[in-house]
Amino acid sequence: MRGDFLPGFLQFLPQRVIRGRGCDQSNTCPEQISVLPTTQMHMKPTSFELLIADEIRAAVAQTAEGEVVALMDAILAANRVFVGGAGRSGLMMKAFAMRLMHLGLSAHVVGETTTPAIEPGDILVVGSGSGQTRTSLATLEAAASRGAKTAVITAYPESPIGRAADLR
């Protein structure tokens, strides 16, 4: 399947990749692709890129600045930051944890083997698009019962997870 998928995918990146040594024009050796530095890209945004930017703008327009500031303040005040979520939301929360770590904060992903126990003074931030994922709700309730502050990032703040969180 990889051989069928990757050459088609590479059509979307024609000026952003260079084929490595030994590749022919049909992209038969995709494992040797390297990405050009951003400074070498001189492309106008595609309609797909503009669509993505529009989606991001619409999401930001629906977000109350006070809620973002409250979440930032809670994260900065916490001893440690724990993140959790399921599916795509969980993947984004893992990326969020990595960014927090890059900022010098103590960040952990719920469910990983090296994650310590949550305690008072910590914060759990759960991501859930629907706000109804049962495992995420159980994680949030467990963190609250241990004295940690809780927050949710969701499209539905009045959902079960939204109502259970300290910050939404």
Side-chain angles (χ1 to χ4, degrees), residues 4 7 11 14 21 23 34 37 47 57-58 61 64 76 88 91 101 104 122 125 130 136 145 155 160 162:
D4 295 334
Q11 293 176 40
R21 268 183 286 135
C23 293
S34 59
S47 59
R57 267 192 289 282
L76 293 173
R88 290 173 292 186
L91 290 172
M101 184 271 307
D122 296 335
V125 183
S130 69
S136 296
S145 73

Side-chain angles (χ1 to χ4, degrees), residues 3 8 11 15 18-19 22 24 44 69 88 92-93 109 153:
Q11 293 176 40
Q15 297 180 6
I18 301 174
R19 286 190 231 4
D24 61 23
K44 293 182 180 178
V69 170
R88 290 173 292 186
M92 292 301 95
M93 296 311 292
V109 176
I153 299 173

Side-chain angles (χ1 to χ4, degrees), residues 34-138:
S34 59
V35 178
L36 287 172
T38 307
T39 56
Q40 294 182 20
M41 289 190 262
H42 301 289
M43 293 177 49
K44 293 182 180 178
T46 65
S47 59
F48 185 68
E49 291 167 328
L50 293 173
L51 177 65
I52 292 170
D54 287 343
E55 289 289 325
I56 292 170
R57 267 192 289 282
V60 169
Q62 295 177 24
T63 305
E65 184 177 341
E67 293 172 357
V68 175
V69 170
L71 179 59
M72 288 179 1
D73 288 345
I75 287 171
L76 293 173
N79 296 330
R80 299 176 298 179
V81 181
F82 291 76
V83 301
R88 290 173 292 186
S89 297
L91 290 172
M92 292 301 95
M93 296 311 292
K94 286 181 179 183
F96 182 54
M98 186 185 327
R99 298 298 177 239
L100 293 174
M101 184 271 307
H102 288 158
L103 291 170
L105 300 175
S106 178
H108 304 279
V109 176
V110 172
E112 296 293 325
T113 57
T114 59
T115 302
I118 198 164
E119 301 173 343
D122 296 335
I123 186 169
L124 169 69
V125 183
V126 170
S128 175
S130 69
Q132 297 184 35
T133 310
R134 290 180 188 214
T135 55
S136 296
L137 178 58

